[in-house]
């Protein structure tokens, strides 16, 4: 008996000693690790790694940048059953423990001691919050002990709802989705509050193993996990028996949902991204900045479509370049077709397809697309496809399908609405025996299609272009497109392509002339100019387009007819140096402009943005314009960090206006003073002259818009390497450019009025829809006088052919010609060094 008592006492003392030792060891760990633990309040200050989001001015998503998809939500935004699903899956005793679940932790300790690693885990939601925010994922005792200590601190200082909210915003749920809201969008394409019970349970099953239980990668295992969670919810009384059975019977509905942008503005988005990185560094991608651009969603959509359609139209005018590739693996099964087409990407609205059959009798080709499945191409959609031989030559017009396509060709097509297909094809598509495409066989994001899809033959354009549209008064970029496809080529021609502006540059020469006292009625001789070269330099013999000469010509007519020889003589009288100084005053970039008479023809180079900005100065009446893209920058909580200052037009005492402007708010200027750069009356007269370009000159294609407030100028460079149109009303200035990235002729039939103007018209049709006519108000000191159209003098009383012209009051012509500068300079005085 005494031995039993002695043994019992020994065991008791041994237990006490062991417990004391454990406590001492734990205390030692605590004293050692405690100084290195972060303060819990940092949890509330920690910025979730939320991507940069770019929005249009009408609050539509343009782009998202950042590795992690995340949309923080508050606990109040999450349905109760969704919370219960996570509790059932991860921590059913969450509201009972103080940060550590002893039962679960004991199980994890046994696993670690017996196997060397923690297999099932013992982490509570609080412990996961501690690990996700502050600690590593190393499976060591030190890390686990840190996690336990920090969990106690978190539970002590934060309430349960705050802890749960932090957890649901931080947890990784696979497919780059961090947080519950991001996962709901990625897997189901909907906000959290719209999920059904089965979907909620599916998301709740992801934290344990985002890859193993991923419904996209492992649907069978994901369903087992989902059903187990539904069972746990039923056991815990979170859902009724009928709810459990109904959710259990639901099929898997998860599919990958990429971030759905609402506006196609990739070039503008990239400009905004670069500016944000310049401002904030790499944190721009993670700190949840929300950037609102000046770009209007509808205008941008119109710009993107107009440019793409315009480039495609040019491309088709010059013929079909043939298939992008061919294969002899036809016929074969769809898996083979899928493999063949894998390396050919979709480019904007153009899909790569494989031609699997040709039928001249039915007048169509059969095609297969990995995006759309089986389709057909009616012959009438390929009637344009004359063989390309050169920029200026094509083969004969095709008469049957086999003249264009062959079995095994890989070509690009555009999907057509069913009603556009020919009757035979439509009947085939509706035939009950026609093959159908089952859901899930196409690439993600493509809606399932039933029956063969009507298609139209197309091709990816080789030619490129750009469009820039500015609000004339402020410089706000309303729309911008830097090429046919950003995904195909990220070179932004709108701001990077330095190209010769050609005749689009002439209005600035004329504006200087108007300021110097010339008038629309000033006569210049439209006749040959010859500069004889020598052994060292070639001669220069500039010509008008078409090679004809008009003789004595009024400046108004010379501008709307784009007479090169008049422009050269005009610049000669003004003086090259004086004109360049004037261009500097207008703040046009002059570094790349030639300092000789070729300047009158738009030599040198400017970007489409430069030209748009220059025409905005004309459009707004002569005030400075500084283009800008970012309207506001907000942090992740919606606080405004930056807002673009409004532009204030200023005619005089501009420095005083700046000094007396309101105090800047949160670090950005209160206003931007836009000073007058050009004489108001000269600009008004130039408006009238540029309107004639559209009414009766080289820009008559814009008359289809049926507006009286539009002016502009076409431009075509030597050998038709660049085609331009810059146009405006008093509120909007838009420039379009078309050319090859490596300068080459567009073809002798292509000009600014044929290649660039149609793009401008298509865009402005949408941009000006519903907007009333907006003309520049006539300033004081402008008078109307009847003149003789031949001489430019005042018309005699009762003269039948007299016309009305506008002048600055001090420049009204006398009864006999007296037009200031003569325009009769000796051609022999032309400088030799022209290029």
């Amino acid at each position: 008996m005494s031995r039993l008592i002695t043994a019992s006492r020994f065991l008791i003392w041994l237990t006490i000693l062991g417990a004391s030792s454990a406590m001492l060891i734990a205390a030692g760990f605590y004293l050692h690790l405690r100084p290195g633990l972060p303060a819990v309040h940092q949890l509330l200050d920690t910025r979730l790694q939320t991507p940069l989001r770019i929005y249009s001015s009408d609050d539509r998503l343009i782009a998202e940048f950042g590795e992690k998809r995340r949309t923080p939500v508050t606990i109040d935004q999450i349905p109760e059953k969704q919370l219960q699903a996570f509790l059932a899956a991860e921590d059913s005793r969450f509201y009972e423990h103080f940060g550590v679940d002893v039962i679960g932790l004991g199980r994890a300790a046994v696993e670690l001691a017996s196997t060397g690693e923690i297999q099932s885990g013992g982490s509570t939601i609080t412990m996961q919050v501690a690990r996700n925010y502050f600690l590593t994922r190393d499976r060591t005792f030190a890390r686990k002990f840190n996690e336990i200590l920090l969990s106690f601190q978190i539970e002590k200082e934060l309430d349960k709802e705050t802890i749960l909210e932090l957890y649901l915003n931080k947890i990784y749920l696979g497919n780059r989705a961090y947080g519950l809201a991001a996962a709901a969008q990625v897997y189901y394409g909907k906000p959290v509050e719209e999920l059904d019970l089965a979907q909620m349970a599916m998301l709740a099953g992801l934290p344990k193993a985002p890859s193993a239980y991923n419904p996209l990668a492992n649907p069978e295992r994901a369903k087992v996990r989902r059903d187990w969670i539904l069972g746990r919810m039923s056991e815990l009384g979170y859902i009724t028996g009928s709810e459990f059975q109904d959710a259990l019977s639901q099929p898997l509905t998860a599919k990958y949902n990429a971030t759905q942008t609402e506006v196609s503005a990739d070039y503008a988005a990239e400009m905004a991204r670069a500016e944000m990185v310049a401002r904030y560094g790499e944190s721009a991608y993670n700190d949840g900045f929300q950037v609102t651009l000046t770009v209007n969603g509808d205008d941008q959509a119109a710009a993107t479509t107009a440019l793409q359609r315009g480039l495609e139209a040019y491309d088709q005018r010059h013929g079909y370049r043939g298939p992008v590739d061919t294969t002899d693996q036809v016929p074969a099964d769809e898996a083979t077709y899928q493999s063949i087409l894998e390396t050919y990407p979709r480019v904007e609205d153009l899909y790569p397809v494989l031609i699997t059959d040709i039928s001249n009798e039915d007048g169509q080709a059969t095609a297969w697309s990995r995006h759309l499945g089986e389709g057909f191409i009616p012959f009438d959609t390929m009637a344009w496809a004359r063989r390309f031989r050169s920029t200026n030559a094509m083969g004969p017009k095709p008469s049957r399908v086999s003249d264009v396509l062959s079995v095994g060709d890989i070509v690009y097509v555009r999907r057509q609405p069913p009603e556009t297909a020919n009757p035979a094809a439509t009947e085939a598509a509706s035939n009950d025996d026609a093959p159908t495409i089952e859901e899930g066989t196409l690439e993600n994001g493509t809606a399932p299609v039933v029956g063969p899809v009507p298609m139209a033959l197309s091709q990816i354009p080789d030619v490129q272009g750009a469009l820039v549209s500015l609000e004339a008064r402020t410089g706000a970029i309303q729309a911008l497109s830097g090429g046919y496809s950003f995904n195909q080529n990220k070179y932004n021609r709108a701001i990077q392509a330095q190209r010769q502006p050609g005749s689009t540059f002439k209005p600035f020469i004329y504006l200087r002339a108007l300021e110097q006292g010339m008038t629309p009625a000033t006569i210049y001789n439209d006749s040959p100019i010859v500069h004889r070269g020598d052994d060292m330099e070639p001669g220069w013999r500039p010509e008008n387009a078409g090679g004809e000469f008009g003789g004595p010509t009024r400046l108004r007519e010379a501008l709307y007819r784009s007479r090169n020889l008049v422009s050269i003589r005009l610049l000669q009288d003004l003086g090259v140096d004086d004109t360049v100084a004037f261009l500097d005053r207008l703040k046009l970039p002059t570094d790349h402009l030639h300092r000789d008479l070729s300047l009158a023809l738009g030599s040198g180079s400017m970007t489409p943005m430069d030209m748009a900005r220059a025409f905005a100065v004309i459009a707004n009446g002569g005030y400075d314009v500084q283009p800008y893209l970012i309207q506001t920058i907000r942090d992740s909580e919606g606080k405004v960090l930056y807002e673009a200052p409004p532009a204030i037009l200023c005619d005089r005492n501009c420095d005083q206006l700046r000094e007396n402007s309101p105090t800047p708010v949160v670090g950005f200027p209160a206003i931007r003073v836009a000073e007058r750069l050009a004489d108001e009356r000269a600009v008004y007269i130039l408006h009238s002259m540029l309107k004639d370009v559209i009414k009766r000159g080289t820009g008559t294609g814009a008359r289809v818009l049926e507006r009286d407030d539009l002016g502009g100028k076409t431009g075509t460079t030597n050998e038709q390497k660049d085609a331009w149109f810059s146009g405006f009303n008093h509120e909007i200035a838009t420039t379009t450019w078309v050319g090859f990235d490596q300068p080459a002729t567009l073809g002798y039939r292509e000009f600014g009025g044929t290649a660039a103007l149609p793009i401008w018209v298509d865009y402005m049709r949408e941009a000006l829809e519903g907007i009333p006519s907006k003309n520049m108000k006539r300033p004081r000191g402008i008078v109307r006088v009847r003149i003789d159209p031949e001489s430019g003098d005042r018309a005699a009383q009762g003269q039948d052919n007299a016309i009305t012209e506008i002048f600055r009051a001090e420049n009204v012509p006398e009864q006999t010609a007296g037009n200031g500068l003569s325009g009769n300079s000796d051609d022999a005085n032309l400088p030799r060094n022209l290029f």
Side-chain angles (χ1 to χ4, degrees), residues 300-454:
Q300 181 59 50
T304 300
T305 300
L307 183 61
Q308 289 175 354
R309 297 296 183 268
L311 297 180
E312 290 172 8
Y314 165 88
D315 198 59
Q316 292 191 6
R317 284 199 300 273
H318 292 268
Y320 176 56
R321 296 186 300 277
V324 296
D325 204 350
T326 59
T327 179
D328 58 5
Q329 299 184 62
V330 179
D333 56 27
E334 291 188 353
T336 301
Y337 296 161
Q338 176 84 14
S339 176
I340 292 171
L341 292 173
E342 276 181 354
T343 57
Y344 301 95
R346 172 182 172 180
V347 179
E348 300 305 320
D349 292 335
L350 303 184
Y351 298 89
V353 302
L354 176 63
I355 303 301
T356 59
D357 188 47
I358 296 290
S359 176
N360 287 323
E361 292 75 17
D362 293 337
Q364 67 179 36
T366 303
W368 195 89
S369 164
R370 75 174 190 270
H371 302 87
L372 304 174
E374 188 177 69
F376 59 96
I377 309 173
F379 174 72
D380 59 5
T381 74
M382 60 183 87
W384 63 270
R386 299 169 62 184
R387 286 288 173 175
F388 174 86
R389 291 178 176 172
S390 72
T391 309
N392 295 314
M394 293 184 290
K397 188 174 181 179
S399 58
R400 55 184 183 174
V401 176
S402 59
D403 290 342
V404 180
L405 299 174
S406 300
V407 172
D409 282 354
I410 298 171
V411 299
Y412 275 85
V413 301
R414 181 182 300 282
R415 181 178 181 179
Q416 286 189 295
E419 61 271 15
T420 65
N422 62 34
T426 303
E427 182 180 353
S430 62
N431 192 312
D432 291 339
D433 297 328
T436 60
I437 300 168
E438 300 296 333
E439 183 175 1
T441 62
L442 306 182
E443 289 193 347
N444 288 326
T446 302
V449 183
V450 176
V453 180

Side-chain angles (χ1 to χ4, degrees), residues 56-58 62 263 265 268 293-297 300 477-480 629:
S56 65
S57 62
D58 46 348
I62 291 177
V263 180
L293 305 186
T294 56
V295 167
N296 174 272
Q300 181 59 50
I477 298 173
Q478 291 190 302
L480 181 147
L629 179 64

Side-chain angles (χ1 to χ4, degrees), residues 545-579:
E548 77 282 359
F549 306 100
T553 306
R554 287 175 290 114
L555 287 187
R556 176 182 290 275
E557 184 179 1
L559 182 58
Y560 74 67
R561 294 190 184 278
S562 199
R563 296 301 190 185
N564 291 338
L565 301 173
V566 171
S567 297
I568 292 170
R569 285 192 165 88
L570 184 61
L571 177 59
Q572 185 180 20
D573 280 346
L574 293 171
V576 172
D577 291 340
D578 178 81
T579 301

